[in-house]
Amino acid sequence: MRKHRKQDVPMSRLRCFFVVEVVMAKKNLLIVDEDEAYLRKVGDFVRESDVSDKYSVRLFTKQETLEHFLSSPEGQNLDGAIVAKPHLIRQDIRENPRIKWIGLDEAGPGLRTEPFPILGKYQPLRMFFSAIDEFCGLDAASLPDRRENCRV
């Protein structure tokens, strides 16, 4: 069989295929709470669900660690959301226009909005992340419907 050199192959026989992969940029999501067991459950849910397809999640148990991260080059360029109890977030962080801030409360499910967005801590994690999706403007329907291990 004769091998063709590049210039010998007629253009009509050349086929080019381009694969275009659309990669949705993940939103940064920082969750801050002193309760390590709670954050461990949130981390488990993120790893076991498709939440990690939408969010790059970082969990913090100490205000100092969060502030250290936010002062790093990566943290200074952060564009995303922080979910935390109001006393754990300084006013200057709350006022940063690149960061959406959601308060974390011991109350029940839902997202309340006065005087700032407040998210109930103890609710099914699917609802928790759906409320974050709603606040951040993401489609909540793409989250998996996982019923097991969904309460903390």
Side-chain angles (χ1 to χ4, degrees):
M1 178 171 207
R2 180 177 167 222
K3 291 186 179 180
H4 292 285
R5 290 180 288 166
K6 262 189 176 178
Q7 65 267 23
D8 292 341
V9 178
M11 288 300 282
S12 62
R13 293 190 61 202
L14 288 178
R15 292 187 184 148
C16 295
F17 296 96
F18 295 97
V19 177
V20 178
E21 182 178 342
V22 178
V23 179
M24 184 176 89
K26 291 183 182 184
K27 295 274 186 186
N28 289 298
L29 178 62
L30 310 181
I31 302 176
V32 188
D33 192 56
E34 295 110 343
D35 186 348
E36 289 183 34
Y38 174 77
L39 289 181
R40 195 173 305 114
K41 297 247 184 195
V42 170
D44 290 345
F45 179 80
V46 168
R47 281 187 291 280
E48 294 171 2
S49 70
D50 291 341
V51 171
S52 61
D53 292 343
K54 287 183 179 184
Y55 295 105
S56 174
V57 179
R58 290 184 175 90
L59 307 172
F60 297 90
T61 57
K62 296 182 180 166
Q63 180 181 10
E64 299 80 30
T65 311
L66 170 69
E67 290 177 5
H68 179 70
F69 171 76
L70 291 174
S71 66
S72 72
E74 184 179 8
Q76 289 176 353
N77 295 319
L78 182 73
D79 185 14
I82 297 177
V83 179
K85 290 183 180 176
H87 73 276
L88 294 174
I89 303 298
R90 291 189 332 247
Q91 188 66 28
D92 62 319
I93 295 171
R94 290 186 210 172
E95 294 172 354
N96 185 332
R98 290 182 296 115
I99 300 174
K100 294 184 179 197
W101 181 76
I102 304 172
L104 188 62
D105 188 28
E106 303 285 328
L111 179 68
R112 299 179 307 282
T113 57
E114 64 279 319
F116 46 80
I118 301 277
L119 182 59
K121 177 178 174 178
Y122 295 109
Q123 61 181 307
L125 287 171
R126 179 165 167 47
M127 288 174 59
F128 180 86
F129 281 98
S130 292
I132 294 171
D133 285 347
E134 180 183 323
F135 181 70
C136 293
L138 296 177
D139 178 20
S142 64
L143 280 174
D145 187 13
R146 298 204 179 217
R147 304 271 181 211
E148 70 279 354
N149 300 322
C150 65
R151 281 203 173 270
V152 294

